[in-house]
Short mmCIF file of all heavy atoms in Angstrom, two decimals:
data_model
loop_
_atom_site.label_atom_id
_atom_site.label_comp_id
_atom_site.label_asym_id
_atom_site.label_seq_id
_atom_site.Cartn_x
_atom_site.Cartn_y
_atom_site.Cartn_z
N ARG A 121 31.48 0.90 -10.79
CA ARG A 121 31.98 1.18 -12.14
C ARG A 121 31.36 0.20 -13.14
O ARG A 121 30.91 -0.87 -12.78
CB ARG A 121 33.50 1.05 -12.19
CG ARG A 121 34.01 -0.36 -11.85
CD ARG A 121 35.52 -0.38 -11.83
NE ARG A 121 36.04 -1.63 -11.32
CZ ARG A 121 36.30 -2.71 -12.06
NH1 ARG A 121 36.08 -2.67 -13.36
NH2 ARG A 121 36.77 -3.80 -11.51
N LYS A 122 31.34 0.63 -14.37
CA LYS A 122 30.91 -0.23 -15.46
C LYS A 122 32.16 -0.69 -16.19
O LYS A 122 32.92 0.13 -16.70
CB LYS A 122 29.99 0.52 -16.42
CG LYS A 122 28.59 0.80 -15.89
CD LYS A 122 27.72 -0.45 -15.97
CE LYS A 122 26.28 -0.09 -15.62
NZ LYS A 122 25.41 -1.27 -15.67
N SER A 123 32.35 -1.98 -16.25
CA SER A 123 33.54 -2.51 -16.92
C SER A 123 33.38 -2.44 -18.43
O SER A 123 32.27 -2.25 -18.96
CB SER A 123 33.77 -3.95 -16.49
OG SER A 123 32.76 -4.79 -17.00
N VAL A 124 34.49 -2.64 -19.13
CA VAL A 124 34.45 -2.69 -20.60
C VAL A 124 33.52 -3.81 -21.05
O VAL A 124 32.73 -3.64 -21.98
CB VAL A 124 35.88 -2.91 -21.15
CG1 VAL A 124 35.84 -3.26 -22.64
CG2 VAL A 124 36.72 -1.66 -20.93
N LEU A 125 33.58 -4.95 -20.37
CA LEU A 125 32.72 -6.07 -20.73
C LEU A 125 31.25 -5.71 -20.56
O LEU A 125 30.41 -5.99 -21.43
CB LEU A 125 33.07 -7.29 -19.89
CG LEU A 125 32.20 -8.54 -20.11
CD1 LEU A 125 32.22 -8.98 -21.57
CD2 LEU A 125 32.65 -9.68 -19.18
N GLN A 126 30.90 -5.08 -19.45
CA GLN A 126 29.50 -4.70 -19.21
C GLN A 126 29.00 -3.72 -20.27
O GLN A 126 27.89 -3.87 -20.79
CB GLN A 126 29.36 -4.07 -17.82
CG GLN A 126 29.43 -5.08 -16.68
CD GLN A 126 29.44 -4.39 -15.34
OE1 GLN A 126 30.32 -3.57 -15.06
NE2 GLN A 126 28.47 -4.69 -14.51
N ARG A 127 29.80 -2.73 -20.60
CA ARG A 127 29.37 -1.73 -21.58
C ARG A 127 29.24 -2.34 -22.97
O ARG A 127 28.34 -1.99 -23.73
CB ARG A 127 30.36 -0.56 -21.59
CG ARG A 127 30.33 0.26 -20.31
CD ARG A 127 31.17 1.52 -20.42
NE ARG A 127 31.18 2.26 -19.18
CZ ARG A 127 30.22 3.10 -18.79
NH1 ARG A 127 29.16 3.26 -19.56
NH2 ARG A 127 30.32 3.74 -17.65
N THR A 128 30.14 -3.26 -23.29
CA THR A 128 30.07 -3.92 -24.59
C THR A 128 28.80 -4.74 -24.70
O THR A 128 28.10 -4.71 -25.73
CB THR A 128 31.30 -4.82 -24.80
OG1 THR A 128 32.49 -4.03 -24.67
CG2 THR A 128 31.28 -5.46 -26.18
N ILE A 129 28.46 -5.47 -23.64
CA ILE A 129 27.23 -6.27 -23.64
C ILE A 129 26.00 -5.38 -23.72
O ILE A 129 25.03 -5.72 -24.41
CB ILE A 129 27.18 -7.17 -22.39
CG1 ILE A 129 28.26 -8.26 -22.49
CG2 ILE A 129 25.81 -7.81 -22.22
CD1 ILE A 129 28.41 -9.10 -21.25
N GLN A 130 26.02 -4.23 -23.04
CA GLN A 130 24.91 -3.29 -23.14
C GLN A 130 24.68 -2.87 -24.59
O GLN A 130 23.54 -2.80 -25.07
CB GLN A 130 25.19 -2.06 -22.28
CG GLN A 130 24.93 -2.26 -20.80
CD GLN A 130 25.15 -0.99 -20.01
OE1 GLN A 130 26.09 -0.24 -20.27
NE2 GLN A 130 24.28 -0.72 -19.05
N LEU A 131 25.77 -2.58 -25.31
CA LEU A 131 25.66 -2.18 -26.71
C LEU A 131 25.13 -3.31 -27.58
O LEU A 131 24.30 -3.09 -28.47
CB LEU A 131 27.02 -1.72 -27.23
CG LEU A 131 27.53 -0.37 -26.68
CD1 LEU A 131 28.98 -0.16 -27.06
CD2 LEU A 131 26.68 0.77 -27.21
N LEU A 132 25.61 -4.53 -27.31
CA LEU A 132 25.14 -5.68 -28.07
C LEU A 132 23.64 -5.91 -27.85
O LEU A 132 22.90 -6.20 -28.80
CB LEU A 132 25.93 -6.93 -27.67
CG LEU A 132 27.38 -6.99 -28.13
CD1 LEU A 132 28.12 -8.15 -27.46
CD2 LEU A 132 27.47 -7.12 -29.64
N LYS A 133 23.19 -5.77 -26.63
CA LYS A 133 21.76 -5.96 -26.33
C LYS A 133 20.92 -4.85 -26.96
O LYS A 133 19.81 -5.09 -27.44
CB LYS A 133 21.54 -6.00 -24.82
CG LYS A 133 22.07 -7.25 -24.15
CD LYS A 133 21.81 -7.19 -22.66
CE LYS A 133 22.34 -8.43 -21.94
NZ LYS A 133 22.14 -8.34 -20.47
N ARG A 134 21.46 -3.63 -26.96
CA ARG A 134 20.73 -2.53 -27.58
C ARG A 134 20.59 -2.76 -29.07
O ARG A 134 19.53 -2.51 -29.66
CB ARG A 134 21.47 -1.20 -27.32
CG ARG A 134 20.75 0.01 -27.90
CD ARG A 134 19.48 0.30 -27.12
NE ARG A 134 18.69 1.35 -27.76
CZ ARG A 134 17.71 1.14 -28.63
NH1 ARG A 134 17.37 -0.09 -28.96
NH2 ARG A 134 17.05 2.15 -29.16
N HIS A 135 21.65 -3.25 -29.69
CA HIS A 135 21.60 -3.58 -31.11
C HIS A 135 20.58 -4.69 -31.36
O HIS A 135 19.79 -4.62 -32.31
CB HIS A 135 22.99 -4.02 -31.58
CG HIS A 135 23.05 -4.48 -32.99
ND1 HIS A 135 22.95 -5.82 -33.34
CD2 HIS A 135 23.16 -3.80 -34.16
CE1 HIS A 135 23.02 -5.93 -34.65
NE2 HIS A 135 23.15 -4.73 -35.18
N ARG A 136 20.60 -5.71 -30.50
CA ARG A 136 19.63 -6.80 -30.60
C ARG A 136 18.20 -6.29 -30.53
O ARG A 136 17.33 -6.69 -31.32
CB ARG A 136 19.92 -7.79 -29.46
CG ARG A 136 19.04 -9.04 -29.35
CD ARG A 136 17.83 -8.85 -28.44
NE ARG A 136 18.00 -8.10 -27.24
CZ ARG A 136 18.25 -8.62 -26.03
NH1 ARG A 136 18.40 -9.91 -25.88
NH2 ARG A 136 18.34 -7.82 -24.96
N ASP A 137 17.94 -5.38 -29.58
CA ASP A 137 16.59 -4.83 -29.43
C ASP A 137 16.15 -4.05 -30.66
O ASP A 137 14.96 -4.06 -31.04
CB ASP A 137 16.53 -3.92 -28.19
CG ASP A 137 16.67 -4.70 -26.90
OD1 ASP A 137 16.47 -5.92 -26.92
OD2 ASP A 137 16.98 -4.07 -25.86
N SER A 138 17.10 -3.36 -31.28
CA SER A 138 16.78 -2.58 -32.49
C SER A 138 16.45 -3.49 -33.66
O SER A 138 15.52 -3.23 -34.43
CB SER A 138 17.95 -1.66 -32.85
OG SER A 138 18.21 -0.73 -31.83
N ILE A 139 17.21 -4.56 -33.78
CA ILE A 139 17.00 -5.50 -34.89
C ILE A 139 15.63 -6.18 -34.78
O ILE A 139 14.92 -6.38 -35.78
CB ILE A 139 18.11 -6.58 -34.90
CG1 ILE A 139 19.46 -5.94 -35.25
CG2 ILE A 139 17.78 -7.70 -35.89
CD1 ILE A 139 19.59 -5.48 -36.67
N PHE A 140 15.24 -6.54 -33.54
CA PHE A 140 14.01 -7.31 -33.34
C PHE A 140 12.91 -6.49 -32.67
O PHE A 140 12.12 -7.02 -31.90
CB PHE A 140 14.32 -8.56 -32.51
CG PHE A 140 15.23 -9.52 -33.20
CD1 PHE A 140 16.60 -9.53 -32.93
CD2 PHE A 140 14.76 -10.40 -34.16
CE1 PHE A 140 17.46 -10.41 -33.57
CE2 PHE A 140 15.60 -11.29 -34.81
CZ PHE A 140 16.96 -11.28 -34.53
N ILE A 141 12.88 -5.21 -33.00
CA ILE A 141 11.89 -4.33 -32.37
C ILE A 141 10.46 -4.76 -32.70
O ILE A 141 9.54 -4.57 -31.91
CB ILE A 141 12.14 -2.86 -32.80
CG1 ILE A 141 11.27 -1.92 -31.96
CG2 ILE A 141 11.90 -2.69 -34.31
CD1 ILE A 141 11.62 -0.45 -32.15
N ASP A 142 10.26 -5.39 -33.86
CA ASP A 142 8.92 -5.81 -34.25
C ASP A 142 8.58 -7.24 -33.84
O ASP A 142 7.44 -7.68 -33.99
CB ASP A 142 8.76 -5.68 -35.78
CG ASP A 142 8.82 -4.23 -36.24
OD1 ASP A 142 8.34 -3.36 -35.49
OD2 ASP A 142 9.37 -3.99 -37.34
N SER A 143 9.57 -7.96 -33.34
CA SER A 143 9.32 -9.35 -32.90
C SER A 143 10.15 -9.66 -31.65
O SER A 143 11.05 -10.50 -31.69
CB SER A 143 9.67 -10.33 -34.02
OG SER A 143 10.99 -10.09 -34.50
N PRO A 144 9.86 -8.96 -30.55
CA PRO A 144 10.67 -9.11 -29.34
C PRO A 144 10.68 -10.52 -28.76
O PRO A 144 11.64 -10.91 -28.09
CB PRO A 144 10.03 -8.11 -28.36
CG PRO A 144 8.64 -7.89 -28.89
CD PRO A 144 8.75 -8.01 -30.37
N ASP A 145 9.63 -11.30 -29.00
CA ASP A 145 9.57 -12.65 -28.45
C ASP A 145 10.51 -13.61 -29.18
O ASP A 145 10.76 -14.73 -28.70
CB ASP A 145 8.14 -13.20 -28.53
CG ASP A 145 7.20 -12.46 -27.60
OD1 ASP A 145 7.68 -11.86 -26.63
OD2 ASP A 145 5.98 -12.47 -27.86
N LEU A 146 11.02 -13.19 -30.32
CA LEU A 146 11.88 -14.06 -31.12
C LEU A 146 13.34 -13.59 -31.13
O LEU A 146 14.15 -14.10 -31.89
CB LEU A 146 11.36 -14.13 -32.57
CG LEU A 146 9.99 -14.78 -32.75
CD1 LEU A 146 9.56 -14.69 -34.20
CD2 LEU A 146 10.01 -16.23 -32.29
#
Side-chain angles (χ1 to χ4, degrees):
R121 62 184 171 89
K122 287 282 188 181
S123 68
V124 168
L125 177 57
Q126 286 174 302
R127 292 188 182 278
T128 303
I129 291 173
Q130 281 183 319
L131 289 169
L132 289 170
K133 289 179 180 178
R134 182 70 187 93
H135 175 265
R136 180 268 321 264
D137 291 342
S138 298
I139 293 290
F140 295 98
I141 190 170
D142 294 326
S143 52
D145 292 337
L146 295 176

